[in-house]
Amino acid sequence: MFQTFDRIKELAKKQGLSINLLEEKLGYSRNTIYNLKNSKPSTERISEIADYFNVSTDYLLGRTDNPSIAKETVTTADGR
């Protein structure tokens, strides 16, 4: 999960936020995000952080290098 912490730290830095300030903005107790270095985050927590930074949960989890959230495409019955 260390990669998850690194991604969060990088996103926070790009916005000029310390990890402690990010935790405060999200309403987390101190060291909540630092603890992601050694523990698995809940899906709720990952979703909250992803929503805050407007990135995909897969990006935070290191499953993709693309931070963009996939757009839903609607396909009609005739394939359009």
Side-chain angles (χ1 to χ4, degrees), residues 63-77:
R63 295 173 65 183
T64 180
D65 288 330
N66 181 359
S68 299
I69 298 170
K71 303 287 184 225
E72 258 188 63
T73 54
V74 178
T75 307
T76 60

Side-chain angles (χ1 to χ4, degrees), residues 10-17 22 52-54:
E10 175 188 325
L11 289 166
K13 184 177 179 181
K14 284 181 182 177
Q15 291 194 9
L17 298 172
L22 176 61
Y52 181 84
F53 287 115
N54 196 34

